[in-house]
């Protein structure tokens, strides 16, 4: 078992199996490759908003894949 951070485990899984479903929401799968791409865009968005590594950021959004995308993006910063 990998004892690394969740973001490290996600990155490893995305590299190993990019087409595998990373999340299923409303019976619709989203592949690791797609989730990783959205999260990378999220990083650029947050950086454009002036968010920097180490800052505290609150997320207020309903349960959806976008919440996961935002969390992954912030974890990569």
């Amino acid at each position: 078992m990998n004892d690394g951070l969740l973001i490290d485990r996600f990155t490893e899984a995305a590299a190993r199996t990019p087409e595998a479903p990373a999340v299923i929401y409303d019976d619709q799968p989203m592949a690791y490759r797609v989730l990783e791409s959205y999260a990378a865009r999220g990083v650029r968005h947050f950086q454009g908003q002036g968010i920097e590594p180490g800052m505290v950021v609150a997320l207020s959004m309903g349960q959806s894949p976008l919440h996961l995308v935002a969390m992954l993006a912030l974890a990569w910063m």
Side-chain angles (χ1 to χ4, degrees):
M1 177 176 169
N2 183 342
D3 290 330
L5 298 174
L6 180 59
I7 192 66
D8 296 332
R9 296 174 76 180
F10 171 82
T11 302
E12 291 168 5
R16 268 193 328 271
T17 56
E19 298 304 321
V23 62
I24 299 173
Y25 183 77
D26 281 343
D27 295 326
Q28 297 296 315
M30 182 183 297
Y32 279 101
R33 165 187 66 75
V34 174
L35 186 55
E36 188 173 40
S37 174
Y38 284 140
R41 288 186 356 203
V43 169
R44 291 189 297 277
H45 170 76
F46 288 135
Q47 289 171 336
Q49 298 297 312
I51 296 170
E52 298 175 356
M55 288 181 145
V56 175
V57 177
L59 295 176
S60 177
M61 45 187 13
Q63 291 182 347
S64 76
L66 292 179
H67 194 147
L68 181 57
V69 166
M71 289 189 305
L72 286 170
L74 291 169
W76 271 329
M77 294 188 70

